Amino acid sequence: MDKITLHGKTFRPFIKNEELEGIIDDVADRINADFAECEDVPILLCVLNGAVMFTAAVMKRLNFNVELCSIKLSSYVGTQSTGTVLMPIGLTSDVKDRRVIILEDIVDTGNTIVALKELLFSKGAKDVKICSMLMKPEVYAKPDKIDYVGKEIPNAFIVGYGLDYDELGRQFKDIYVIDAQ
Ligand code: 5GP
């Protein structure tokens, strides 16, 4: 794995695809155990765009029926969180009386995930679980529990496996961290 350059900033290798695959196996095992023999069809909610790869990877490991739904949220500009959560695309399915499993790429301050959870309950969701591939515990500032976390990482800006820097870098199968400036 070599360094990559996006919009003039360099990023170094951080999490290899092989490790990510193992992390996702583990997360999917835990979801499968909790939803084993469920009689309803839970909604798998992909938070666009960053969670696209993670959602596909988790989904193909699940052994119960799910309905796929998406929403597009954004709070980052460049490498910084703005603290304001925008919703360019709303929920693509009705969540009333449904159990929802949110699939997120990374939880940072928690603003996005908590706003989403509140939205889902306001639309009548019966239960909401949060599953995030990665999490930055140093900056997480909410009381809400993140039900399934793949891996905790330090507070640094990363790209790859769906995550972008101003829309670039999503296609890499490994994850890269920004080089000290
Ligand atoms: P939060 O609302 O928890 O502060 O931020 C969550 C969202 O910010 C994620 O869905 C993701 O889009 C973005 N984000 C947070 N940390 C990073 C990061 O290190 N890299 C990238 N590319 N996006 C991030």
Side-chain angles (χ1 to χ4, degrees), residues 11 47-51 73-85 104-114 132 134 136 139-140 142 153-160 162-166 168 170 176-177:
F11 295 80
V47 184
L48 300 171
N49 288 324
L73 301 176
S74 66
S75 62
Y76 256 59
V77 173
T79 63
Q80 295 294 321
S81 173
T82 61
T84 307
V85 182
E104 177 61 302
D105 50 3
I106 186 162
V107 173
D108 184 341
T109 61
N111 288 334
T112 305
I113 217 72
V114 169
S132 187
L134 301 169
K136 299 179 185 171
V139 272
Y140 185 65
K142 304 285 179 188
I153 63 165
N155 183 21
F157 187 76
I158 58 163
V159 294
L163 289 141
D164 71 308
Y165 169 41
D166 278 346
L168 294 185
R170 294 193 196 275
Y176 295 78
V177 63

Side-chain angles (χ1 to χ4, degrees), residues 13-27:
F14 185 52
I15 308 174
K16 281 189 153 187
N17 186 264
E18 295 72 41
E19 184 181 347
L20 284 174
E21 294 284 323
I23 287 168
I24 297 165
D25 284 341
D26 181 57
V27 159

Side-chain angles (χ1 to χ4, degrees), residues 125-142:
K126 197 161 66 176
D127 183 49
V128 178
K129 295 271 185 279
I130 302 170
C131 172
S132 187
M133 176 170 68
L134 301 169
M135 178 176 186
K136 299 179 185 171
E138 286 164 38
V139 272
Y140 185 65
K142 304 285 179 188

